[in-house]
Amino acid sequence: MTRITATERAAPNVMDTTPGNQAATFRNQDQVWPVRAIPRGDAVRALPPHARSLAELTYRLGDLHLSVGEYMARRRTAGLLILKGGDIALERYGMGSGPERLWTSFSTAKSITGTLAGAALHDGAIGSLDDPCDRYLPRLRGSAYEGVTIRNLLRMGSGVAWRDDYDADARSELHRLGRAMARRRPGAVLDLLCALPRVHPQGAVFNYSTGDSCVLGAVVAAATGRPLADYLAARVWGPGGMEADGHWQLESEDGLELGGFGVSARLRDMGRFGLLMLEDGEARDGTRVLPRGWRDLAGRPDCEATAFGRLAPGDPGGYGYHWWATPPAPGIHAGVFAAIGIFGQFIYVNPGAQVVVAIQSAWRRPQDIAATVETVTLLRAAVHALRQAP
């Protein structure tokens, strides 16, 4: 699938953009990479307006008293959608985007890949999360991934070497992945992953790894016998009531989807994906697409390596099955889990408050602590404002 937008052009590299072309680049990844369509289904899930509008929402950040509009300008936000119980409390766009524009996901796609593993388990294509991944993908035999369970891939606990570094260290595995993708050769990504060494026993250490997500995506595709984009369309896009086709970036023409990133979609459809998780994988027509209880299994840690407070010094969070998790202590964000991508992409799911938030952004740096803190502050204000809403 190729879609060319005549009025704007994407930069060849998402990591090397200008303030003027960054948004165009994030909107038009199909100008740069081969992609596979994610077709919408027959029925669209309505997102009616909520009785409580957050159009006038404000929040405090230190000595500043800020509005939603100021947040979007400060944090280069292309889309902000806040849903309460499936109804729209706020929908706003910037950076030249609008309701019909696609935006790339970066690592929020990891949570989509993890969800597809749950769908494959529910469908019986995967027998158990404790099966070794090479049972479904024999290409992994003889590599450090041989014997690694699907569950430990979901936990980012494979024990296989990986550094998700965004600095200039060309030796990092993330940069090596970029070079493998640039070859546009079928199998180049798996060849790289199969050449990586083991550095820990599986399940012993949490190590955030785009490589683990790419292996997981390849395992799901092999187990289901379908490309990831096709399986996503059948098990999420259709049942979730998405309103538009999306697309998934490929390693080569008609090749493998990249399980760690590369899903482009409308803002509302990212919100609908969050709703499908909020509702534990049960579609509006009653169709179940995920195992019962998957939301709570995937949205919280289930082992010592991914437990709350164990991921990094000073970080109280934990990690579920390709979702970041917030501690269950009382508070606005208690029990929250989220998909997070570089440059300010978020899908926030708050089961206790029945709130889902989707954010698409164009931060100028891949990771920005101040922007993250401000985003969490905005979310806290939104949930607080909606807490008493029906």
Side-chain angles (χ1 to χ4, degrees):
M1 170 184 160
T2 302
R3 176 180 59 84
I4 298 295
T5 302
T7 57
E8 59 182 14
R9 300 298 302 179
N13 184 349
V14 295
M15 305 299 293
D16 185 17
T17 62
T18 67
N21 70 12
Q22 187 183 28
T25 300
F26 292 179
R27 278 191 287 266
N28 297 288
Q29 279 296 283
D30 53 334
Q31 292 181 3
V32 180
W33 296 101
V35 299
R36 183 169 288 122
I38 307 165
R40 51 155 283 186
D42 295 330
V44 175
R45 176 173 183 167
L47 298 177
H50 193 268
R52 169 76 161 90
S53 169
L54 296 183
E56 304 303 320
L57 179 70
T58 60
Y59 61 99
R60 289 197 174 276
L61 188 70
D63 295 333
L64 301 176
H65 188 224
L66 300 166
S67 67
V68 171
E70 288 170 316
Y71 167 81
M72 295 185 68
R74 286 163 58 87
R75 300 307 173 193
R76 293 174 57 84
T77 306
L80 171 60
L81 177 70
I82 301 178
L83 302 167
K84 165 78 172 182
D87 297 345
I88 296 177
L90 182 69
E91 181 179 17
R92 194 168 295 183
Y93 296 91
M95 303 294 294
S97 283
E100 297 183 354
R101 303 306 296 268
L102 305 186
W103 195 265
T104 196
S105 57
F106 298 103
S107 287
T108 56
K110 290 180 171 68
S111 302
I112 293 174
T113 299
T115 301
L116 292 182
L121 180 67
H122 178 70
D123 290 346
I126 290 174
S128 167
L129 296 184
D130 296 313
D131 287 345
C133 55
D134 53 288
R135 176 174 299 176
Y136 302 95
L137 189 61
R139 172 70 180 84
L140 299 173
R141 291 173 188 164
S143 79
Y145 280 102
E146 181 175 357
V148 173
T149 65
I150 295 170
R151 195 182 304 274
N152 278 325
L153 287 177
L154 284 162
R155 291 167 171 162
M156 297 284 190
S158 70
V160 178
W162 190 271
R163 289 166 295 167
D164 255 84
D165 293 337
Y166 297 98
D167 58 22
D169 182 3
R171 297 169 297 175
S172 79
E173 287 74 20
L174 189 66
H175 285 270
R176 292 171 64 189
L177 175 63
R179 293 194 293 272
M181 290 167 52
R183 298 186 188 112
R184 308 291 178 98
R185 178 178 61 80
V189 169
L190 277 179
D191 285 349
L192 167 66
L193 298 172
C194 286
L196 299 175
R198 171 169 297 284
V199 292
H200 299 289
Q202 66 164 306
V205 174
F206 170 82
N207 179 45
Y208 186 76
S209 170
T210 296
D212 280 6
S213 298
C214 288
V215 170
L216 180 65
V219 169
V220 172
T224 60
R226 306 178 70 174
L228 281 185
D230 292 356
Y231 194 57
L232 178 61
R235 306 310 292 145
V236 173
W237 237 241
M242 309 312 184
E243 68 183 41
D245 294 356
H247 57 71
W248 204 324
Q249 182 180 335
L250 307 177
E251 67 168 352
S252 62
E253 291 292 342
D254 201 32
L256 182 72
E257 291 89 345
L258 286 309
F261 52 93
V263 173
S264 289
R266 291 184 183 181
L267 179 70
R268 289 176 187 164
D269 286 341
M270 285 302 194
R272 290 181 176 97
F273 170 62
L275 288 174
L276 189 67
M277 283 298 297
L278 178 73
E279 294 161 359
D280 195 31
E282 185 171 332
R284 300 293 276 181
D285 64 0
T287 301
R288 175 155 288 281
V289 300
L290 295 170
R292 195 174 300 278
W294 182 262
R295 180 191 75 186
D296 295 332
L297 178 65
R300 64 179 65 154
D302 72 345
C303 72
E304 184 177 355
T306 58
F308 295 117
R310 292 295 304 273
L311 303 186
D315 182 353
Y319 200 73
Y321 288 175
H322 271 44
W323 292 88
W324 298 95
T326 300
I332 287 289
H333 295 307
V336 162
F337 56 97
I340 302 175
I342 56 171
F343 296 109
Q345 324 313 315
F346 296 89
I347 303 171
Y348 166 98
V349 182
N350 189 324
Q354 291 291 290
V355 170
V356 168
V357 181
I359 303 176
Q360 296 173 331
S361 309
W363 295 354
R364 286 302 298 153
R365 296 190 299 277
Q367 296 165 327
D368 186 324
I369 293 175
T372 299
V373 169
E374 184 165 0
T375 299
V376 171
T377 303
L378 173 75
L379 293 173
R380 181 180 293 115
V383 173
H384 180 76
L386 290 169
R387 194 172 239 177
Q388 303 305 318

